[in-house]
């Protein structure tokens, strides 16, 4: 973390000492399609289906892919439209393959993924997918491929692409029905019970803090080189650079062990449950970990934290540090999945 970024975090922490254990947040070209690749992939599917393979940023290709195989809010011939969408963690390419409803199975999905892997230069080592409803089929499809499959909601580039398709693509398709959209997130009646963190991994202090969005933009103070074992999700579109991203700093004498553990859990979001008065960490597809309980003052500050997330399309962060003055052992820029994707 650069000196400028650390100063922002430390300044917030200093204010913390004069108030409570939590700090009130500061609220604030046209695509080119690779026709040769598309035709090669489409040749293995029925002629009535459509394949689109678009290379956006070839110099930023990643070996971490994100996949979704699911129905869309479009009826074709009286049946739901099914698609396989694949991108990578940087959004360097997008791949869309329609599937006939009678070919929605692990065998067909495996072939679609395998064919795409043959067409690209940077092969995937990890493929993430976020839909619990498709867990078995996707897991079986990827089992015989030379990749690690990861059930995870850390499919940030894919989520942004799905958002765009739900806004600009599906509504313009014949047979679109907005009532067919389904939520990818738990319902308001969330009966999950958070898993208690092991004592050895608990933080001694938690603080709500804020960083300007500009710190995460090109030339800003936060980059892949200074976030320890953490990860940075892509910034959502149209986020103003002078707004503040809300975050949580975890101070722990076991910061390195905690950060390493977080890196292996597919940490997806930090959530303040105001009704239950708890701070939880969301990971993989549907796991919750209990991070801390909230008193009245902390509950008020947590409400502002959640409000700040809503203002920036779910964007927030978590930083794990040994002390206020140390660089993070792990820093994660996160974004909650939008609903109904």
């Amino acid at each position: 973390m650069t000196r400028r970024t650390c100063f922002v975090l430390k300044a917030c922490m200093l204010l913390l000492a004069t108030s409570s254990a939590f700090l009130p947040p500061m609220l604030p070209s046209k695509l080119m399609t690779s026709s040769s690749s598309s035709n090669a992939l489409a040749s293995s599917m029925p002629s009535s289906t459509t394949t689109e393979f678009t290379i956006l940023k070839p110099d930023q290709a990643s070996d971490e892919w994100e996949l979704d195989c699911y129905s869309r809010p479009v009826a074709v011939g009286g049946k739901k439209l099914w698609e396989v969408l694949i991108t990578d963690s940087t959004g360097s390419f997008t791949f869309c393959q329609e599937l006939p409803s009678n070919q929605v199975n692990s065998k067909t999905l495996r072939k679609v993924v395998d064919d795409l892997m043959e067409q690209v230069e940077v092969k995937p080592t990890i493929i993430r997918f976020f839909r619990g409803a498709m867990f078995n089929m996707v897991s079986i499809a990827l089992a015989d491929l030379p990749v690690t499959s990861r059930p995870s909601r850390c499919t940030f580039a894919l989520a942004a692409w799905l958002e765009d398709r739900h806004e600009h693509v599906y509504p313009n398709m014949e047979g679109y029905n907005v009532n067919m959209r389904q939520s990818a997130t738990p319902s308001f009646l969330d009966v999950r019970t958070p898993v208690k963190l092991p004592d050895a991994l608990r933080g001694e202090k938690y603080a709500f803090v804020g960083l300007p969005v500009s710190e995460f933009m090109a030339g800003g103070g936060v980059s892949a080189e200074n976030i320890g074992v953490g990860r940075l999700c892509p910034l959502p579109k149209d986020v103003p650079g002078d707004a503040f991203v809300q975050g949580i700093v975890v101070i722990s004498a076991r910061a390195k062990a905690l950060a390493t553990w977080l890196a292996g859990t597919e940490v997806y979001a930090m959530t303040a449950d105001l009704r239950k008065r708890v701070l939880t960490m969301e990971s993989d597809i549907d796991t919750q970990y209990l991070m801390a309980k909230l008193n009245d003052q902390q509950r008020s500050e947590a409400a502002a934290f959640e409000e700040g997330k809503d203002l920036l399309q779910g964007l927030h962060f978590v930083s794990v540090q040994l002390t206020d003055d140390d660089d993070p052992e792990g820093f994660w820029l996160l974004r909650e999945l939008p609903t109904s994707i």
Side-chain angles (χ1 to χ4, degrees):
M1 196 77 48
T2 65
R3 180 175 301 175
R4 179 160 60 105
T5 304
C6 281
F7 173 80
V8 176
L9 284 174
K10 285 187 280 188
C12 291
M13 298 293 286
L14 287 173
L15 287 175
L16 171 72
T18 65
S19 54
S20 68
F22 285 71
L23 176 71
M26 295 166 282
L27 296 176
S29 64
K30 183 178 176 68
L31 305 182
M32 297 299 293
T33 301
S34 175
S35 58
S36 59
S37 297
S38 296
N39 291 337
L41 289 161
S43 64
S44 63
M45 300 299 296
S47 58
S48 59
T49 64
T50 300
T51 300
E52 299 175 0
F53 181 26
T54 304
I55 298 174
L56 303 170
K57 300 174 287 188
D59 58 330
Q60 298 181 28
S62 168
D63 65 351
E64 297 186 8
W65 284 13
E66 301 172 3
L67 176 150
D68 185 39
C69 178
Y70 208 61
S71 62
R72 311 303 177 197
V74 177
V76 179
K79 298 181 179 180
K80 286 184 177 181
L81 170 68
W82 282 79
E83 292 178 330
V84 178
L85 300 183
I86 303 174
T87 185
D88 62 8
S89 60
T90 62
S92 74
F93 74 89
T94 57
F95 171 84
C96 173
Q97 170 72 65
E98 291 182 7
L99 291 183
S101 58
N102 63 352
Q103 292 192 28
V104 180
N105 54 57
S106 58
K107 181 179 178 180
T108 301
L109 180 59
R110 181 187 302 114
K111 180 170 178 54
V112 171
V113 176
D114 194 26
D115 287 348
L116 179 59
M117 290 171 61
E118 291 297 319
Q119 298 294 322
V120 298
E121 293 186 9
V122 179
K123 312 297 183 184
T125 59
I126 295 171
I127 298 182
R128 292 182 173 89
F129 59 96
F130 69 92
R131 291 194 197 272
M134 305 301 294
F135 176 86
N136 288 337
M137 194 188 89
V138 177
S139 297
I140 293 171
L142 301 180
D144 294 331
L145 297 177
V147 298
T148 299
S149 64
R150 286 193 181 167
S152 170
R153 286 171 286 178
C154 296
T155 51
F156 303 115
L158 177 62
W161 183 27
L162 273 165
E163 277 187 295
D164 183 76
R165 292 183 67 81
H166 276 293
E167 183 177 353
H168 299 111
V169 178
Y170 302 133
N172 295 320
M173 297 176 68
E174 184 177 353
Y176 173 73
N177 184 347
V178 68
N179 295 322
M180 294 169 63
R181 292 184 67 170
Q182 302 179 40
S183 175
T185 60
S187 70
F188 68 93
L189 186 59
D190 191 349
V191 296
R192 294 177 297 165
T193 300
V195 179
K196 188 177 180 180
L197 274 183
D199 291 341
L201 295 175
R202 291 185 184 178
E204 286 81 48
K205 184 163 59 175
Y206 299 81
F208 288 124
V209 300
L211 283 174
V213 171
S214 57
E215 290 287 350
F216 303 98
M217 295 179 170
V222 182
S223 68
E225 285 72 40
N226 56 21
I227 58 173
V229 295
R231 295 181 67 205
L232 301 176
C233 75
L235 289 175
K237 294 187 302 182
D238 305 323
V239 174
D242 59 351
F244 270 80
V245 182
Q246 305 309 305
I248 295 172
V249 172
V250 181
I251 302 297
S252 172
R254 298 169 293 275
K256 186 172 184 179
L258 176 56
T260 301
W261 179 78
L262 287 179
T265 64
E266 293 290 310
V267 55
Y268 150 72
M270 301 294 290
T271 301
D273 189 321
L274 304 179
R275 183 177 63 85
K276 298 179 181 178
R277 294 173 174 263
V278 293
L279 178 66
T280 60
M281 183 191 79
E282 300 274 351
S283 67
D284 56 60
I285 286 183
D286 60 3
T287 302
Q288 283 184 327
Y289 290 95
L290 177 62
M291 302 294 287
K293 294 184 178 180
L294 306 173
N295 59 32
D296 289 342
Q297 177 63 29
Q298 295 159 354
R299 183 178 182 275
S300 175
E301 294 161 355
F305 168 75
E306 289 294 329
E307 181 182 352
K309 286 165 55 179
D310 291 342
L311 291 174
L312 291 183
Q313 303 176 51
L315 198 66
H316 62 292
F317 67 86
V318 59
S319 179
V320 179
Q321 300 174 205
L322 182 62
T323 70
D324 299 0
D325 298 323
D326 287 306
D327 286 345
E329 294 290 344
F331 185 103
W332 286 264
L333 181 63
L334 307 168
R335 186 188 176 205
E336 291 190 17
L337 286 179
T339 59
S340 300
I341 60 171

